[in-house]
């Protein structure tokens, strides 16, 4: 029994010694990752690197690298015989052809359709605008070389958001050949655009095209996430590289007429943008850039460039005061210039010139109106019309007046713009508010506000053709109050003239001798205006409706005769 126990002890001791000897190898084996996990990790890293390199190559305009990493390009290089077997195309020429096919889909997003004063910066050259095609745009359109990290682009940065394996992609290399499956990875890349002034543009969230006359909100894109389908394990099937991005499908023809062509390759996902991932530039992102851009825009000699840059600023920050101020001043000045080109008077005094040009639109707005109503798009014109200037001016002035009511000049312009646009209630209410807000001790601006309030009432009555409208009487009273406060000869002249003009809409013109009295007084003050011009006085007397009244009664002949130009 003792002998058997000793043999058992020796056996156990041997087992223990063997276990101790094998223990390091067992521990090493337990800590070593499974071969499959290592392989998956390698596939994942290869796919992510390939997606990054491919997107960066497109952004740089690198045709060779793009072609080398594009599945469709490499598939056709492997399967399509050259048209001339004796002179096959070089690899570079082949990749150039692949680049043309890939970038053909970018063209719709680079097509400019600027109408009127809606042009966006960059005013010339590439403006990337996705419009209603955003959801259908190919992934490369969001990294196209017009936006890319090398000139002429302004820059973008790519970062990997996430990646994950998806069911294998599949394809045939020969008609009726074996279906080949390859590991497929979906890589999400977020594209960050560096410059808010040249980044791509989309419609604002939730905007719908109701009619062609409604201008839809546009926004500048700060970042967007795109997904890219990456195949790996391609070298095993004869491809020159092991990984490639499936971006566009390979064009295939059916083997038999009437049959459906193979889908090459077949995948459960496609490379595309994720519209719900868009982040737009906002007012807080680069406020210094916007302020500097507004100052820069004011120096541009071309109106198109000025408006384009200011519009770009305002789609990022609709309340940017510098951009609103520059835009409204310039558009208002352009409208006055258009008036001067129409009436053709050479008025040298700036203050008198301003009054004459505003008066031109006052009269025109209550009469013909065509130039103020027929925009470039609607009229089929080749350049913007006064209506286009007015339509762009109004919303900018509304925003400026709302956010900065202390800027009285902007509120004056807004009241004028309402009048020229025939917005009857706002054109009266705007100047009523100004009359109320301007202290009485500020006589000159209050007198001007009262005179403009009178003209808004006159335009309402003139357009509606209602002679018993009480606004004609109120207009007279406003002009009378303006005359009592006015200190400058120009303001005195305008108040007296306005009283005379308002009376022609009263029943039986009220007292015609009083019209003559106001016109005589207006002429007296007109003669005291620095830089006065008798041709300007003649212009005021011969305005459409007033001239008809004056011509109809002999009592006005002396004042008309005095205004006539000498003959010969």
């Amino acid at each position: 029994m003792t002998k058997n126990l000793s043999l058992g002890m020796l056996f156990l001791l041997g087992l223990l010694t063997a276990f101790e000897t094998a223990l390091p190898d067992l521990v090493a084996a337990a800590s070593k990752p499974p071969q499959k996990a290592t392989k998956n990790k390698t596939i994942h890293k290869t796919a992510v690197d390939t997606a990054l390199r491919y997107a960066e190559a497109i952004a740089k305009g690198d045709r060779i690298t793009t072609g080398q990493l594009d599945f469709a390009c490499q598939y056709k290089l492997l399967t399509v015989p050259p048209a001339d077997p004796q002179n096959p195309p070089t690899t570079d020429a082949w990749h150039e052809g692949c680049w043309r096919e890939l970038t053909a889909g970018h063209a719709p997003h680079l097509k400019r359709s600027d109408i009127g004063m809606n042009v966006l910066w960059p005013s010339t050259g590439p403006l990337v605008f996705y419009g209603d095609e955003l959801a259908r745009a190919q992934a490369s359109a969001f990294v196209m070389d017009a936006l890319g990290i090398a000139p002429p682009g302004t820059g973008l940065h790519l970062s990997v958001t996430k990646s994950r394996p998806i069911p294998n992609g599949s394809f045939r290399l020969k008609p009726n050949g074996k279906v080949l499956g390859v590991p497929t990875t979906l890589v999400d890349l977020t594209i960050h655009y560096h410059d808010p002034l040249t980044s791509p543009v989309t419609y604002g969230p939730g905007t719908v095209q109701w009619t062609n006359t409604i201008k839809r909100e546009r926004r500048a894109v700060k970042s967007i996430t795109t997904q890219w389908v990456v195949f790996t394990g391609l070298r095993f099937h004869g491809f020159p590289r092991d990984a490639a991005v499936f971006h566009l499908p390979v064009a295939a023809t059916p083997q038999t007429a009437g049959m459906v062509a193979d889908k090459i390759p077949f995948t459960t996902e496609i490379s595309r943008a994720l519209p719900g991932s868009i982040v737009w530039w906002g007012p807080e992102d680069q406020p210094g850039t916007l302020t500097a851009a507004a100052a820069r825009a004011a120096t541009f000699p071309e109106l198109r460039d000025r408006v384009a840059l200011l519009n770009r600023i305002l789609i990022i920050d609709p309340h940017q005061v510098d951009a609103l101020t520059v835009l409204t001043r310039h558009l208002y000045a352009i409208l006055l210039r258009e008036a001067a080109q129409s009436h053709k008077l050479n008025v040298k005094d700036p203050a008198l010139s301003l009054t004459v040009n505003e008066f031109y639109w006052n009269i025109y707005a209550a009469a013909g109106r065509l130039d103020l109503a027929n925009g470039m798009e609607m009229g089929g014109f080749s350049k913007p019309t006064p209506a286009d200037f007015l339509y762009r001016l109004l919303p900018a002035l509304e925003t400026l007046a709302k956010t900065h009511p202390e800027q009285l000049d902007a509120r004056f312009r807004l009241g004028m713009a309402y009048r020229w646009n025939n917005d009857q209630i706002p054109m009266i209410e705007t100047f009523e508010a100004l009359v109320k807000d301007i202290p009485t001790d500020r006589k000159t601006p209050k007198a001007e506000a009262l005179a403009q309030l009178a003209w808004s009432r006159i335009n309402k009555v003139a357009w509606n053709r209602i002679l018993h409208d009480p606004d004609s009487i109120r207009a007279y009273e406003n002009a009378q109050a303006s005359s009592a406060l006015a200190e400058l000869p120009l303001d005195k002249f305008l108040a007296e003239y306005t009283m005379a003009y308002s009376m022609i809409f009263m029943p039986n013109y009220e007292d015609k001798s009083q019209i003559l009295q106001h016109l005589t007084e207006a002429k007296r003050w007109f003669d005291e205006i620095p830089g006065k011009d008798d041709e300007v006085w003649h212009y005021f007397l011969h305005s459409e409706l007033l001239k008809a009244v004056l011509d109809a009664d002999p009592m006005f002949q002396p004042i008309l005769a005095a205004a006539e130009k000498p003959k010969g």
Side-chain angles (χ1 to χ4, degrees), residues 105 109 130-139 141-142 248 270-273 275:
H109 311 300
Y130 300 114
D132 291 314
E133 301 301 315
L134 174 65
R136 295 181 289 276
Q138 60 193 57
F142 299 90
L248 297 177
I270 61 171
S271 297
R272 62 186 178 92

Side-chain angles (χ1 to χ4, degrees), residues 70-112:
D70 185 88
F71 173 79
C73 186
Q74 293 303 303
Y75 179 91
K76 288 188 286 187
L77 184 62
L78 190 67
T79 60
V80 177
D84 182 0
Q86 301 299 322
N87 297 290
T90 64
T91 304
D92 288 358
W94 182 267
H95 289 154
E96 183 69 33
C98 293
W99 177 264
R100 287 194 298 270
E101 290 182 17
L102 182 146
T103 56
H106 301 170
H109 311 300
L110 291 166
K111 191 178 296 181
R112 299 193 72 104

Side-chain angles (χ1 to χ4, degrees), residues 282-287:
E284 303 303 321
D285 290 322
Q286 291 190 21

Side-chain angles (χ1 to χ4, degrees), residues 287-332:
T289 299
L290 303 185
T291 301
R296 179 185 171 201
T299 66
F300 290 156
E302 294 294 329
L303 177 67
R304 176 185 172 88
D305 295 335
R306 269 176 274 157
V307 173
L309 185 50
L310 295 168
N311 282 345
R312 166 68 75 150
I313 296 168
L314 292 171
I315 69 171
I316 298 167
D317 182 1
H319 297 157
Q320 216 284 340
V321 62
D322 299 306
L324 288 168
T325 302
V326 173
L327 179 65
T328 54
R329 284 179 179 171
H330 283 251
L331 288 178
Y332 194 79

Side-chain angles (χ1 to χ4, degrees), residues 532-551:
K532 64 160 186 166
D533 188 322
D534 286 338
E535 191 174 5
V536 174
W537 171 247
H538 179 272
Y539 176 71
F540 273 92
L541 275 190
H542 285 73
S543 65
E544 291 185 20
L545 297 176
L546 180 62
K547 178 81 162 49
V549 172
L550 300 185
D551 284 342

